[in-house]
Amino acid sequence: QLQLQESGPGLVKPSETLSLTCTVSGGSFNSSYFWGWIRQPPGKGLEWIGIIYYSGSTYFNPSLKSRVTISADTSKKQFSLKLTSVTAADMAVYYCARLVANWGYVDSWGQGTLVTVSS
Amino acid sequence: SYEVIQPPSVSVSPGQTASITCSGHRLGDRYVSWYQQKPGQSPALVIHQDTKRPSGIPERFSGSNSGNTATLTISGTQALDEADYYCQAWDSNTYVVFGGGTRLTVL
């Protein structure tokens, strides 16, 4: 049974960098899947941040592309998100997720982690 | 950038059929999936590849996608179906796009 677990600071100061890691258990990085990040501001809808393929190729939401890095360490079965220059608008529950490669749907979600942006 | 639009809210009486739409330019050319999210929970997949139900999802959930509109249909809606529903479009150019979500109220 695949499990995804987000970890990282729950509080980030404005203008600093948000860093989160997702640890994958019960699954493997292979060509069948993308691994990605999705966020949800309190009381609002889902927003796609970006995805990484097992090859290391990355794809991002155009609205966030200039501030986002996604990387993966397959040996540790982890992938990570960095979002620079955060503002209050970046406060959200951040989910890591697995997407089925050919059809792009999320078949597994992490439980989500709330990141607050405040000084 | 590509957008998909959902109605903010849909209401349905118990036992009736609920239809939630998702609209976008030539959406039928993309794959659409649907997610159910209840308060305090992560979203859960209910429909993928336009029409397919994951194992464990009741048969009352069905999907379609043609032209500019995809539709999630819940037949014989139950109180436990009350939730937020999100459509998501996918293609190999724009990758992932979520709709704004629809709150389904069963009353």
Side-chain angles (χ1 to χ4, degrees), chain A residues 5-6 10-11 15 33 42 52 56-57 65 79 85 87 95 97 110 118:
Chain A
Q5 180 66 58
E6 305 90 350
L11 178 64
S15 80
Y33 302 103
I52 186 166
S57 297
K65 184 176 182 178
F79 60 102
S85 305
T87 69
Y95 295 100
S118 175

Side-chain angles (χ1 to χ4, degrees), chain A residues 69-87:
Chain A
T69 302
I70 295 177
S71 59
D73 185 335
T74 57
S75 65
K76 292 183 177 179
K77 299 183 76 173
Q78 293 179 332
F79 60 102
S80 298
L81 169 69
K82 291 188 186 300
L83 180 66
T84 62
S85 305
V86 300
T87 69

Side-chain angles (χ1 to χ4, degrees), chain A residues 38-78:
Chain A
I38 294 158
R39 70 181 183 179
Q40 185 171 35
K44 296 188 178 180
L46 301 171
E47 181 180 31
W48 172 59
I49 300 171
I51 52 176
I52 186 166
Y53 197 41
Y54 83 109
S55 62
S57 297
T58 52
Y59 308 93
F60 302 114
N61 185 327
S63 68
L64 298 169
K65 184 176 182 178
S66 63
R67 298 194 291 131
V68 175
T69 302
I70 295 177
S71 59
D73 185 335
T74 57
S75 65
K76 292 183 177 179
K77 299 183 76 173
Q78 293 179 332

Side-chain angles (χ1 to χ4, degrees), chain B residues 12-102:
Chain B
V12 63
S13 299
Q16 297 305 302
T17 297
S19 296
I20 300 173
T21 57
C22 177
S23 300
H25 179 65
R26 298 186 62 171
L27 184 58
D29 292 344
R30 301 167 187 253
Y31 288 111
V32 172
S33 52
W34 290 90
Y35 305 89
Q36 177 193 69
Q37 187 179 34
K38 295 183 177 180
Q41 297 182 14
S42 302
L45 181 70
V46 294
I47 293 289
H48 63 91
Q49 293 170 256
D50 299 339
T51 62
K52 298 184 178 183
R53 272 181 296 105
S55 61
I57 299 301
E59 290 185 10
R60 65 179 180 274
F61 287 86
S62 64
S64 65
N65 183 21
S66 180
N68 295 323
T69 304
T71 302
L72 173 68
T73 302
I74 309 172
S75 304
T77 306
Q78 300 180 11
L80 58 84
D81 299 327
E82 188 164 283
D84 293 330
Y85 290 85
Y86 294 90
C87 66
Q88 179 231 311
W90 166 272
D91 77 354
S92 58
N93 291 314
T94 55
Y95 299 99
V96 179
V97 176
F98 283 103
T102 298

